[in-house]
Structures are given as structure tokens and as C-alpha cells.
Amino acid sequence: NAGVTQTPKFQVLKTGQSMTLQCAQDMNHEYMSWYRQDPGMGLRLIHYSVGAGITDQGEVPNGYNVSRSTTEDFPLRLLSAAPSQTSVYFCASSPGQGAGYEQYFGPGTRLTVT
Amino acid sequence: AQTVTQSQPEMSVQEAETVTLSCTYDTSENNYYLFWYKQPPSRQMILVIRQEAYKQQNATENRFSVNFQKAAKSFSLKISDSQLGDTAMYFCAFMKHVTGNQFYFGTGTSLTVIP
């Protein structure tokens, strides 16, 4: 199993550009989430999904969209990038209660918005 | 919203010694999970240990153990026989059982193991 994969690893955007961060998992996990990590602030939940076709907002959803058309994929879209979105982004998946809700994290994407 | 507080931004410990990292949380929920995650310089998030709130027994995983005080809303991590590979950021996290997916993380403690 590849686990949770994220692409790209690094990205530089100009203000106003849009892009999609890709996330895929091959463990057949129902739950998937996106977090951002900023210095001194830990990880904050952006959006999450409890299954294909079902998504919901987390703590900091503004400026981001998600969709979940398949169990495997959970892309995060930045609609119009802003410098405040400079951060490290983590995708995570979880099998749910059967495994004690352990989350498996991807390697992260470092995004810089200039 | 739930809040998770880690009041020690940085800590250090001598190799082979024991260190305790603190975490407190605020919630009105009765059924929830607590986690400690480790983030080494590679940036990969790694689960260290988890605790289910309805279990009174403290969780242990090899050299890692927790002191879970539900009434005090405290969840500290003890690392015994510290090793150089334990050098990392450590994050405490809270999850409401009913959601299964919404994690709230603390701001982290940077632990350095000194040879």
C-alpha cells in the first residue's frame, strides 16, 4: 500500500491564482480530512469527508473547496490564492471506529503564495 | 469548538532520562478520544498513542504512556528512556467520538533529546 499520497510536494502561486492539491489513499478508508499547519498554531481542520459524496466544513474553510467523488480521492481547491494561505497542507484518512479512529497522514504540501 | 492547550512550547531531556509533556483540553463532551502525534523533521505525522475517554486505564505503548485525568481534562505524555530519535514536535489532539473525523490539535511541544 502507498498509504496517503499528496501532490505536489511544493508549490509557489501568485496572488489570485487557483490550484488543486491532490490527495489519494489506497486503504479504502471512509474518512478523509484536510489540515493546514502554520507556525505556532498546530494543525487546523479545513474540510473533511465521512464518505464518497459527503463533505463538511472544519475550523478554517474559507477560500477552499473540496469534493469527494470516489472513496480514494479528496482534492482541495484554492479558488483565488492569498498570501494568508501560505502554509503546509496535510491530507489524512481514517478507517473510523474499527481502528480507534487513527488518522494516517500524507507527507504534506508546502504552499507559498506571493 | 473544542480547545487543546499545550503550555510547553519547547522542552529538552537528556538521553535515557524521562520527560513528561503536558496537554489540557476543554470540552463539554463525555465520550471522546485523545491522541498524541509525533512530527519529526521529516514532517511526517506519526501516531504515538491514543486514549478513549470512557476507559479509565491509562494507555501505554512501549516507552510511551499517558496520564489521563478526565475530571481535570488533562492528558500528559510520558516518554521513558528517551532516545535521540524521539526528537520531534509532539501534538496533542482531541476528537469527539460522534464525529469520527474532526480533530482539534494543540500548538505542539518541540522536544529535543540531548546526547
Side-chain angles (χ1 to χ4, degrees):
Chain A
N1 284 354
V4 180
T5 58
Q6 291 183 236
T7 55
K9 285 189 167 48
F10 300 94
Q11 183 69 49
V12 179
L13 289 178
K14 293 189 187 312
T15 298
Q17 288 184 317
S18 63
M19 79 159 295
T20 299
L21 305 185
Q22 301 291 343
C23 174
Q25 52 94 6
D26 61 359
M27 297 173 282
N28 202 32
H29 288 172
E30 287 298 315
Y31 298 125
M32 296 187 75
S33 305
W34 275 102
Y35 296 88
R36 59 177 289 172
Q37 183 178 23
D38 302 298
M41 299 192 72
L43 279 77
R44 291 181 292 168
L45 182 64
I46 304 172
H47 285 285
Y48 65 98
S49 169
V50 298
I54 306 169
T55 64
D56 207 343
Q57 297 180 349
E59 288 180 86
V60 288
N62 292 342
Y64 308 95
N65 271 358
V66 292
S67 60
R68 184 104 180 264
S69 56
T70 67
T71 299
E72 295 77 22
D73 300 299
F74 191 44
L76 178 73
R77 297 183 190 83
L78 279 70
L79 308 172
S80 177
S84 61
Q85 293 178 304
T86 293
S87 188
V88 178
Y89 291 84
F90 287 95
C91 180
S93 73
S94 170
Q97 186 171 5
Y101 295 109
E102 177 178 353
Q103 291 211 83
Y104 296 76
F105 285 84
T109 295
R110 182 176 293 277
L111 175 68
T112 302
V113 183
T114 61
Chain B
Q2 325 303 312
T3 57
V4 179
T5 302
Q6 294 179 248
S7 58
Q8 306 152 315
E10 295 181 359
M11 295 190 72
S12 61
V13 62
Q14 293 285 338
E15 194 175 7
E17 296 294 308
T18 295
V19 64
T20 298
L21 280 57
S22 301
C23 173
T24 59
Y25 57 94
D26 184 25
T27 184
S28 58
E29 302 291 327
N30 191 49
N31 197 8
Y32 49 87
Y33 285 73
L34 296 162
F35 302 80
W36 279 98
Y37 277 86
K38 169 184 176 181
Q39 187 180 43
S42 67
R43 210 168 64 192
Q44 182 68 45
M45 295 286 287
I46 302 164
L47 177 66
V48 175
I49 199 165
R50 97 188 103 221
Q51 175 81 41
E52 297 164 55
Y54 69 87
K55 289 186 177 179
Q56 293 189 342
Q57 187 173 3
N58 289 327
T60 62
E61 287 287 343
N62 301 316
R63 298 183 294 108
F64 299 89
S65 62
V66 299
N67 183 4
F68 173 47
Q69 302 287 330
K70 190 172 184 180
K73 297 179 183 175
S74 170
F75 183 60
S76 60
L77 174 69
K78 185 171 83 170
I79 306 174
S80 305
D81 185 25
S82 297
Q83 301 175 0
L84 296 179
D86 296 333
T87 292
M89 282 288 289
Y90 287 81
F91 292 97
C92 179
F94 169 98
M95 187 205 79
K96 285 193 295 187
H97 175 63
V98 66
T99 68
N101 214 26
Q102 294 185 61
F103 277 62
Y104 297 88
F105 285 83
T107 52
T109 296
S110 177
L111 177 68
T112 300
V113 180
I114 302 166

